[in-house]
């Protein structure tokens, strides 16, 4: 299964649409906040995809949750925007929360800095920001052989 991970679209709905078109095999899309409205139209244009999202610090007035969890088979994914865990100052609290939730994959945004690391049994990804010409996004492939995470440049 392929999962598309995006964050911090900040009104770049065209960029989100472009990435959704570029990843036709992605069955699940996780938006990590700061772009709640960007997802609304795309949800209707891609009814074959399942969308999950959380609110970011710039999603004013949003009713979306601050954290989310899904399971793909035995793989639990914990995701959040990151501002509630002060990820701009380090990921310790975020990683601890992901481990408390028994996650194998932990996703966050907010910093606009893409990264994917594996630390002590936890795959950690920040897809960066999709906003702008040089945006980035993440792809996670979950197969019987294992988990593969990648950061992809939009252009």
């Amino acid at each position: 299964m392929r999962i598309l991970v995006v964050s911090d679209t900040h009104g770049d709905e065209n960029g989100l649409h472009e990435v959704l078109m570029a990843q036709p095999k992605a069955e699940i899309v996780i938006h990590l906040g700061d772009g709640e409205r960007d997802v609304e139209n795309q949800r209707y244009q891609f009814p074959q995809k399942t969308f999950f999202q959380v609110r970011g610090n710039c999603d004013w007035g949003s009713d979306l949750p601050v954290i989310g969890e899904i399971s793909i088979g035995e793989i639990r994914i914990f995701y959040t925007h990151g501002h509630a865990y002060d990820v701009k100052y380090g990921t310790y609290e975020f990683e601890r929360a992901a481990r408390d939730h028994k996650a194998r994959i932990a996703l966050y945004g907010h910093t606009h800095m893409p990264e994917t690391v594996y630390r002590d049994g936890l795959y950690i990804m920040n897809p960066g920001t999709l906003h702008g010409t040089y945006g980035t996004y993440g792809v996670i492939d979950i197969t019987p052989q294992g988990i593969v995470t990648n950061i992809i440049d939009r252009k």
Side-chain angles (χ1 to χ4, degrees):
M1 167 166 296
R2 177 163 283 186
I3 302 168
L4 173 63
V5 184
V6 298
S7 188
D8 297 277
T9 50
H10 292 286
D12 192 349
E13 188 178 329
N14 290 334
L16 179 57
H17 182 81
E18 180 182 301
V19 168
L20 287 162
M21 293 294 290
Q23 293 295 327
K25 293 182 181 178
E27 299 173 45
I28 293 176
V29 179
I30 301 175
H31 192 293
L32 301 175
D34 284 356
E36 176 180 4
R37 287 171 180 55
D38 302 335
V39 176
E40 290 174 9
N41 290 332
Q42 302 309 312
R43 187 183 306 272
Y44 298 109
Q45 292 183 41
F46 295 90
Q48 73 280 15
K49 297 185 184 299
T50 303
F51 288 81
F52 297 95
Q53 60 188 130
V54 289
R55 86 171 165 259
N57 61 303
C58 292
D59 290 321
W60 299 288
S62 174
D63 291 332
L64 290 172
V66 173
I67 65 167
E69 294 180 82
I70 61 170
S71 293
I72 309 297
E74 300 292 316
I75 308 295
R76 180 170 289 245
I77 302 171
F78 175 81
Y79 58 99
T80 187
H81 182 62
H83 64 294
Y85 295 97
D86 291 324
V87 296
K88 285 189 176 181
Y89 305 103
T91 60
Y92 176 79
E93 292 297 325
F94 163 70
E95 289 181 40
R96 193 173 89 195
R99 292 177 194 287
D100 287 348
H101 286 263
K102 309 283 191 260
R104 292 266 320 275
I105 300 172
L107 308 172
Y108 73 101
H110 189 52
T111 67
H112 294 203
M113 301 298 295
E115 83 163 334
T116 182
V117 297
Y118 178 78
R119 195 168 14 253
D120 299 324
L122 184 64
Y123 292 87
I124 303 162
M125 176 189 278
N126 181 333
T129 178
L130 191 57
H131 181 75
T133 305
Y134 300 104
T136 56
Y137 62 94
V139 172
I140 302 169
D141 288 305
I142 299 174
T143 69
Q145 291 76 31
I147 299 168
V148 178
T149 62
N150 285 298
I151 301 291
I152 300 173
D153 290 327
R154 183 171 152 195
K155 295 286 180 184

